[in-house]
Amino acid sequence: MVAQAVFTVVAGIPADRLPALRTTLAAVRADPAGNALLPFGRFDRIHFASLVLAEGPGLDPALLVLELNADGRSEACLADLVEGAGGGLDALFAGAEGWPGSGDRKAARAWLDEHVVRPGAYHIGATGRTHGRIREEARLHEAICAYLEAEDAAGRLAGVSPAEVRRRVQDLVRGDPTLAWARACPPRMTGAERLRHRIRLGLFAAAVAVGALVMLPLVVAVVVVLRVKERTDAVQQDPPDPERVRALEAEEDFVAQNHLSSVIPVKPGEFRRVLLRSVLFAINLVARVFATNGKLGDIPSIHFAHWSMVNGDRHLLFVSNFDGSWESYLGDFIDKAAYGLTSVWSNTVEFPRTRFLAFAGAADGPRFRAWARAKQCSTAAWYSAYPRSTMPIIDNNTAIREGLFARLSDEEEAAWLARL
């Protein structure tokens, strides 16, 4: 499987540098692909990128969050940025403690590496597919559709079976040097990788089961403490500020996709921090096994998403790149992933009332929506390498390539043809 990096660079920015930083962020936002400072579109490995300036309770100094979802390792991605957009990084991080300047490239890369925050739990929709592969498979689909439309207009497809149509498409690909790459189709994830993740999940589940039996009194104590906290923790009472909601709505709906971020204080005490770290670890193990075919649970719209603990584990960062509107995304959360979301966010301040960590909470739709809006950060700048491609479109294009030269039954050939 192709390595894919999901990470953020997080740095504190002192108050006296914020006006200049906001000017920089506005310039990047105006043209995220090709601005003069940080032209994300020039870097072929980047799928999505965002810049978020988080301010609020417990955030002194404010945090600048550079989110990157990219092919390869984080070190390679950051090296590309230092080489190709060092001046833009200077404009972003000049006020951050210890920033050496991009003139010393080695020192700049080392500083960025030191400020990388890796996710506690993450999801990749297009598992194993590079930025280049996603674009190539879209081009393959377009080429096949153009060919079939011309054949149909000429009357050469009347009465032709799905198997014969597929054979002609295969001939088209074989005869076009620009499509030669489509004759081979690497797996989204190798069998060895799947096995490794399953073994890790199995070992974790076994360890939890054994630990729960051996340390039953401790487990009971944890549940009792949790229930006491759940009954007494403060929850959000007031609706989000209407003016702020309007400002957030004005920034949303980037073509077919959207971006969401939040930086929320973790509830005080080591109990909540340990519980949150444990939940993120468990969710990440489950996701590596059951969320590798374009969906997170039953949600098909998420390209990249992750949770990270930041600011000395005092805040929980969430960033997501997804299809559709904020309302539809939150609706999917409530209807299809409430237990998992509640298990995580119940450890942050003012979350709707929960029971036994995973119940209620996000299932309370109106209160969850109000809480999510109140805690949402403004996205200062956002970039997508393929802003008109939804996750179902990307998966469909991959399935077309996967089935093009594979052995298929008659029913599978008809289903393959229906994808075109």
Side-chain angles (χ1 to χ4, degrees):
M1 185 180 74
V2 174
Q4 292 171 301
V6 181
F7 67 101
T8 53
V9 176
V10 181
I13 306 296
D16 63 343
R17 291 293 306 174
L18 292 179
L21 175 59
R22 291 192 176 97
T23 299
T24 298
L25 294 174
V28 177
R29 180 183 179 86
D31 182 12
N35 69 88
L37 290 170
L38 199 59
F40 291 117
R42 295 184 190 175
F43 303 98
D44 289 342
R45 70 173 69 241
I46 295 177
H47 294 249
F48 289 86
S50 71
L51 287 160
V52 172
L53 182 59
E55 304 173 83
L59 293 174
D60 185 17
L63 297 182
L64 176 63
V65 179
L66 167 60
E67 173 204 6
L68 292 163
N69 307 137
D71 300 322
R73 298 176 62 84
S74 61
E75 295 86 352
C77 181
L78 294 174
D80 286 352
L81 289 179
V82 171
E83 293 294 325
L89 296 176
D90 286 332
L92 289 177
F93 297 117
E97 182 178 354
W99 171 247
S102 62
D104 186 341
R105 294 178 179 177
K106 183 177 180 180
R109 289 196 299 269
W111 186 92
L112 291 169
D113 287 339
E114 290 172 1
H115 287 76
V116 165
V117 176
R118 305 195 186 281
Y122 69 92
H123 170 68
I124 299 175
T127 300
R129 281 158 286 178
T130 65
H131 160 259
R133 176 174 173 175
I134 289 170
R135 288 187 166 181
E136 283 180 338
E137 289 176 348
R139 184 165 61 85
L140 173 66
H141 189 182
E142 292 170 358
I144 293 173
C145 286
Y147 165 75
L148 293 178
E149 287 172 4
E151 291 293 285
D152 188 48
R156 289 190 286 267
L157 295 181
V160 177
S161 68
E164 175 60 19
V165 171
R166 182 164 166 265
R167 188 193 64 77
R168 294 183 188 181
V169 171
Q170 290 171 340
D171 290 342
L172 167 72
V173 172
R174 289 190 184 100
D176 186 342
T178 67
L179 299 177
W181 51 266
R183 297 179 65 178
C185 187
R188 306 183 193 189
M189 181 179 285
T190 67
E193 287 165 331
R194 292 186 185 278
L195 178 61
R196 184 177 75 250
H197 292 310
R198 282 175 167 78
I199 290 173
R200 290 181 64 200
L201 179 59
L203 292 174
F204 174 75
V208 169
V210 172
L213 290 174
V214 172
M215 297 183 289
L216 185 58
L218 178 59
V219 172
V220 172
V222 168
V223 172
V224 170
V225 171
L226 175 64
R227 287 300 294 141
V228 169
K229 289 182 176 294
E230 288 180 326
R231 290 190 176 100
T232 58
D233 283 340
V235 298
Q236 180 175 304
Q237 300 293 340
D238 299 326
D241 177 49
E243 184 175 341
R244 187 167 182 276
V245 171
R246 284 192 292 271
L248 290 169
E249 289 174 340
E251 297 175 347
E252 295 171 348
D253 297 326
F254 303 95
V255 193
Q257 300 167 349
N258 246 317
H259 183 263
L260 174 64
S261 65
S262 60
V263 180
I264 308 172
V266 177
K267 289 176 179 176
E270 193 61 22
F271 178 86
R272 284 293 189 178
R273 291 192 184 98
V274 171
L275 186 58
L276 178 53
R277 291 189 203 103
S278 302
V279 168
L280 292 176
F281 181 79
I283 286 177
N284 197 55
L285 286 179
V286 172
R288 302 287 66 75
V289 174
F290 297 108
T292 59
N293 289 309
K295 292 183 179 181
L296 179 60
D298 290 326
I299 302 176
S301 59
I302 304 174
H303 294 261
F304 290 86
H306 75 261
W307 281 291
S308 302
M309 296 181 73
V310 299
N311 196 29
D313 288 354
R314 293 188 297 274
H315 287 76
L316 179 66
L317 165 68
F318 176 69
V319 287
S320 181
N321 298 280
F322 60 95
D323 300 324
S325 68
W326 182 92
E327 283 289 346
S328 66
Y329 188 46
L330 267 289
D332 279 346
F333 273 1
I334 294 164
D335 296 336
K336 302 173 182 178
Y339 297 139
L341 299 177
T342 300
S343 298
V344 175
W345 274 320
S346 61
N347 296 291
T348 61
V349 300
E350 298 185 334
F351 192 73
R353 190 74 65 197
T354 61
R355 296 191 310 275
F356 297 103
L357 186 67
F359 299 95
D364 185 346
R367 286 185 175 85
F368 175 62
R369 283 187 171 90
W371 176 87
R373 270 302 193 200
K375 304 305 181 188
Q376 183 178 346
C377 290
S378 173
T379 300
W382 178 83
Y383 166 76
S384 169
Y386 33 84
R388 290 176 173 79
S389 294
T390 64
M391 262 313 306
I393 287 174
I394 291 169
D395 272 344
N396 188 67
N397 291 342
T398 297
I400 289 170
R401 181 183 180 183
E402 289 172 336
L404 182 56
F405 289 98
R407 290 186 178 182
L408 302 179
S409 66
D410 292 344
E411 293 78 10
E412 289 170 336
E413 283 183 324
W416 181 86
L417 190 60
R419 291 182 176 277
L420 301 174

